[in-house]
Amino acid sequence: MREISPPLSIEVADVTVAYANGIVALRDASFKLGPGVICALVGVNGSGKSTLFKAIMGFIRPVKGSVRIAGKSVEQARRGKRIAYVPQSEEVDWTFPVNVWDVVMMGRYGHMNFMRLPSATDKRIVAESLDRVGMSDFKERQIGELSGGQKKRVFLARALAQRGSIMLLDEPFTGVDVTTEETIISLLRALRDDGHIILVSTHNLGSVPEFCDHVVLVNRTVLAAGPTDDVFTEKNLTLAFGGVLRQFHFEQSTIQEHDGRTVKLLTDDERPLVFGKDGHLEYKDREGREKLVKEREKEAGK
Amino acid sequence: MNLLTPFQYSFMNEALMISALVGAVCAVLSCYLVLKGWSLMGDAISHAVLPGIVAAYSMGLPLAVGAFASGLLCAVATGWIKSSTRIKEDTVMGIVFTGLFALGLVMFTKIQTEAHLNHILFGNILGIERDDMIQTIIAASVTLVVVLVMRKDLLLFCFDAAHARAIGLNTSMLYYVLLSLLAGTIVASLQSVGIILVVAMLVTPGCTARLLTDRFDRMLLIAVASSVLASCIGVYVSFFINGATGACIVLAQALLFALALLLGPKHGLIARRFRA
Ligand SMILES: Nc1ncnc2c1ncn2[C@@H]1O[C@H](COP(=O)(O)OP(=O)(O)O)[C@@H](O)[C@H]1O
Ligand SMILES: [Mg+2]
């Protein structure tokens, strides 16, 4: 993780991807990310999030446009083991006869000789990675015998063990408990602070402003991309999601003085996204965003 | 004639040895096929070797070479047709391998050979010739060594091809390696079980082992043990009934599978019933 290499970046330029059956899943998608960033890829199901990931990994060749990683081609970046990919849960065969340790060790294969015999370093890194996601006690478990959240953490540990500098996570929060979500988020923050580029696809809108610095909104193309506060607006989200989102409006009558001006909002597994009156974002974790929050308060005070 | 009589004949000892070797190779490969979901591919390639064998006969080449080539041809043709049309893979495979098998049968009647069609279709381990024995040993040993050396990459390829690519492994190379290993295994097993029943050798040991363990390394060991045992039982029993060795081996494989299905400690039917 310490190795210093040419400035890290992902550049997606005018990428158009078509599948064999003729479906154009993405058209003219463009965005750019620099080092030390967590970027959310947000869009409805079928909007092309996974497709964009596959294009960035070089699994599908765009019919037009290009993807450059740190100025080099994707193939070169892959040979350098720089990109770690955490697949969507549906893409994994959970009955496969491998246990947690085996799976995380697979993250090290790229660093081993052709017989894939793990060295002491490999074992230490695997143990560390398991520890970081809190799964050390489950080393011997067959992967199918884990909960949804634990499964995610195992694949996150594998990505950590790979020691890449770019991490792509496809829907890491789907079917995951709250503790796992917090574990994943704090890990991603730590990686970001180490200078990694992290791309997370999600439709869990509520948590996006809490930990993502950048947002790319997709719907068959890139609708908007940039810093969260600029892009993650009511207007853009309406554009991306159309009528798919449920909306609740709290009116003056709900937020009354004698209730201490608070409303309690309960949702099932996903965090709600809350906009203030003038369309600004409300945050649950204000940590790290004090400046922003203060600005808002000043606005409100004047 | 007593129970030890078979061991007094050198052809029996040779047959036992060869089929144990073949059983071991098939077992190792079957673990990958079962996990990758390639059982039908095994069936297809095994049928598709027939025209290659007949052609090799008529040209005086080693049969194994012809069989290997036409087996691979089947797999490659299937892949090509699938990717350039909208037809699903299993359908394409069904057309390609039956077509090649039929071509082999027609060629066989047209070309005068000293071979017996029955021996090709059902194996003839008790009457195996020196040349065939050497070819079998070579095919089996090469396949076994390659699988064992590449076993972790192949496992990763079966489990998560996307990750394999992400860390820079050449997955299309691994695809062809696995296909070639499959073809090599089939070539090695022709003498003991023949074209028609090879698929049983390529599927059953892996399934039996799958029922008994959740670890891949143990799965390999169990598959090899059950397959070698079944092969030896099959050869031994066929001595007393005077033939049908391949069928006896496959029957023994099926019996071991049935035992695992019933008595498996975790996934077995009886254990499940008790837990429920
Ligand atoms: N392998 C494929 N072959 C053909 N079409 C596909 C394939 N994968 C995805 N698609 C299509 O591409 C579109 C985008 O899919 P995807 O990238 O998986 O969306 P998301 O991950 O945002 O839910 C969908 O319309 C889907 O049907
Ligand atoms: Mg997806």
Side-chain angles (χ1 to χ4, degrees):
Chain A
M1 232 171 284
R2 262 188 228 318
E3 76 194 33
I4 312 281
S5 18
L8 199 57
S9 67
I10 299 182
E11 257 176 86
V12 175
D14 283 327
V15 167
T16 299
V17 178
Y19 283 106
N21 57 6
I23 290 182
V24 179
L26 272 180
R27 199 182 287 280
D28 298 326
S30 301
F31 66 93
K32 217 173 140 175
L33 295 171
V37 68
I38 302 180
C39 174
L41 208 58
V42 177
V44 291
N45 276 329
S47 58
K49 300 184 295 292
S50 300
T51 304
L52 188 51
F53 274 158
K54 285 177 194 153
I56 294 175
M57 298 294 297
F59 294 168
I60 356 179
R61 192 176 288 280
V63 289
K64 192 175 135 261
S66 71
V67 178
R68 311 283 295 171
I69 308 248
K72 297 201 188 118
S73 76
V74 178
E75 285 71 28
Q76 282 169 310
R78 270 204 329 243
R79 249 173 275 135
K81 288 109 199 156
R82 306 190 75 176
I83 320 177
Y85 174 66
V86 179
Q88 226 168 311
S89 289
E90 300 87 81
E91 286 172 14
V92 178
D93 174 6
W94 296 106
T95 65
F96 213 87
V98 285
N99 65 16
V100 169
W101 179 269
D102 298 333
V103 170
V104 181
M105 190 55 91
M106 286 172 183
R108 300 298 306 159
Y109 278 17
H111 302 266
M112 298 177 191
N113 67 8
F114 77 104
M115 287 284 286
R116 315 290 173 206
L117 298 173
S119 67
T121 315
D122 293 321
K123 289 179 186 161
R124 180 178 52 78
I125 290 174
V126 168
E128 264 171 32
S129 309
L130 277 172
D131 198 42
R132 279 185 87 175
V133 299
M135 288 295 291
S136 299
D137 295 339
F138 298 88
K139 289 205 275 275
E140 302 286 331
R141 273 291 174 90
Q142 195 267 327
I143 51 167
E145 296 166 357
L146 300 169
S147 73
Q150 292 168 335
K151 286 174 179 169
K152 280 287 177 210
R153 288 197 245 171
V154 171
F155 279 82
L156 190 63
R158 182 177 77 177
L160 289 176
Q162 192 182 326
R163 296 280 165 102
S165 41
I166 294 175
M167 199 182 278
L168 309 184
L169 300 101
D170 205 350
E171 312 227 355
F173 302 121
T174 307
V176 148
D177 51 290
V178 179
T179 357
T180 301
E181 186 177 326
E182 311 244 288
T183 314
I184 296 179
I185 289 181
S186 66
L187 250 171
L188 297 185
R189 280 192 176 134
L191 291 173
R192 178 215 23 220
D193 295 342
D194 278 352
H196 294 227
I197 297 182
I198 294 156
L199 250 172
V200 187
S201 84
T202 180
H203 40 231
N204 189 352
L205 295 179
S207 59
V208 167
E210 283 168 28
F211 76 101
C212 298
D213 317 295
H214 265 63
V215 174
V216 173
L217 285 176
V218 286
N219 195 356
R220 305 252 148 174
T221 181
V222 171
L223 296 172
T228 306
D229 293 318
D230 300 344
V231 172
F232 213 59
T233 58
E234 208 170 343
K235 186 168 134 277
N236 280 340
L237 286 170
T238 315
L239 202 64
F241 284 85
V244 185
L245 294 177
R246 274 196 205 94
Q247 296 192 4
F248 297 94
H249 286 286
F250 298 104
E251 294 165 9
Q252 217 112 48
S253 57
T254 331
I255 313 173
Q256 288 183 2
E257 204 72 62
H258 65 257
D259 292 331
R261 284 192 172 269
T262 52
V263 223
K264 190 178 269 174
L265 194 92
L266 298 175
T267 70
D268 51 357
D269 55 338
E270 305 207 341
R271 288 196 198 173
L273 175 70
V274 183
F275 285 107
K277 193 164 113 249
D278 56 352
H280 71 260
L281 286 166
E282 297 287 352
Y283 299 100
K284 181 186 135 252
D285 289 347
R286 300 196 161 204
E287 174 208 8
R289 295 181 180 271
E290 292 84 358
K291 197 172 60 103
L292 210 77
V293 174
K294 221 169 257 148
E295 261 170 38
R296 300 284 186 234
E297 271 163 7
K298 218 182 284 163
E299 276 169 34
K302 70 171 176 214
Chain B
M1 197 155 85
N2 65 36
L3 291 178
L4 290 177
T5 313
F7 302 108
Q8 289 163 5
Y9 296 91
S10 69
F11 77 88
M12 271 305 286
N13 289 325
E14 278 172 9
L16 279 169
M17 205 191 67
I18 297 280
S19 32
L21 177 66
V22 168
V25 183
C26 288
V28 171
L29 219 74
S30 78
C31 292
Y32 291 96
L33 288 202
V34 166
L35 293 175
K36 185 85 186 148
W38 268 15
S39 313
L40 185 64
M41 183 74 97
D43 201 23
I45 295 185
S46 60
H47 281 80
V49 298
L50 187 59
I53 292 179
V54 180
Y57 251 121
S58 67
M59 293 187 281
L61 293 170
L63 302 193
V65 174
F68 186 80
S70 76
L72 269 192
L73 173 75
C74 167
V76 173
T78 301
W80 180 77
I81 295 176
K82 188 196 97 181
S83 64
S84 44
T85 61
R86 49 176 52 208
I87 310 171
K88 290 219 176 74
E89 181 167 31
D90 59 338
T91 319
V92 177
M93 218 181 270
I95 296 169
V96 173
F97 90 75
T98 48
L100 282 169
F101 187 65
L103 175 68
L105 290 175
V106 172
M107 282 166 71
F108 190 86
T109 57
K110 280 279 134 206
I111 296 168
Q112 291 303 317
T113 71
E114 287 154 34
H116 298 280
L117 187 58
N118 259 342
H119 290 174
I120 300 174
L121 295 185
F122 297 107
N124 180 34
I125 188 87
L126 298 186
I128 189 170
E129 312 252 338
R130 192 93 336 225
D131 280 0
D132 293 335
M133 192 153 96
I134 292 169
Q135 283 178 31
T136 301
I137 292 177
I138 292 175
S141 319
V142 171
T143 312
L144 199 58
V145 169
V146 176
V147 188
L148 290 181
V149 167
M150 299 193 63
R151 69 178 196 283
K152 292 195 173 170
D153 284 17
L154 290 171
L155 185 69
L156 177 56
F157 173 64
C158 294
F159 177 57
D160 191 347
H163 176 71
R165 279 177 89 171
I167 59 172
L169 301 190
N170 185 342
T171 44
S172 42
M173 192 261 295
L174 286 173
Y175 173 84
Y176 285 108
V177 168
L178 196 55
L179 271 184
S180 310
L181 289 171
L182 180 55
T185 311
I186 288 167
V187 167
S189 18
L190 286 181
Q191 295 298 330
S192 69
V193 286
I195 286 178
I196 308 283
L197 291 176
V198 156
V199 67
M201 302 287 289
L202 286 170
V203 176
T204 322
C207 286
T208 306
R210 187 79 192 76
L211 289 172
L212 298 177
T213 179
D214 283 330
R215 293 298 303 277
F216 186 72
D217 286 342
R218 273 175 228 157
M219 186 172 160
L220 279 180
L221 291 178
I222 296 174
V224 168
S226 81
S227 179
V228 168
L229 180 67
S231 300
C232 293
I233 293 175
V235 173
Y236 181 78
V237 169
S238 75
F239 177 85
F240 294 98
I241 62 170
N242 230 337
T245 318
C248 288
I249 293 176
V250 172
L251 204 54
Q253 296 271 28
L255 278 177
L256 291 181
F257 172 77
L259 281 180
L261 185 65
L262 280 178
L263 306 176
K266 196 161 162 192
H267 305 294
L269 294 182
I270 293 178
R272 279 199 185 181
R273 175 61 54 84
F274 270 99
R275 240 177 297 139

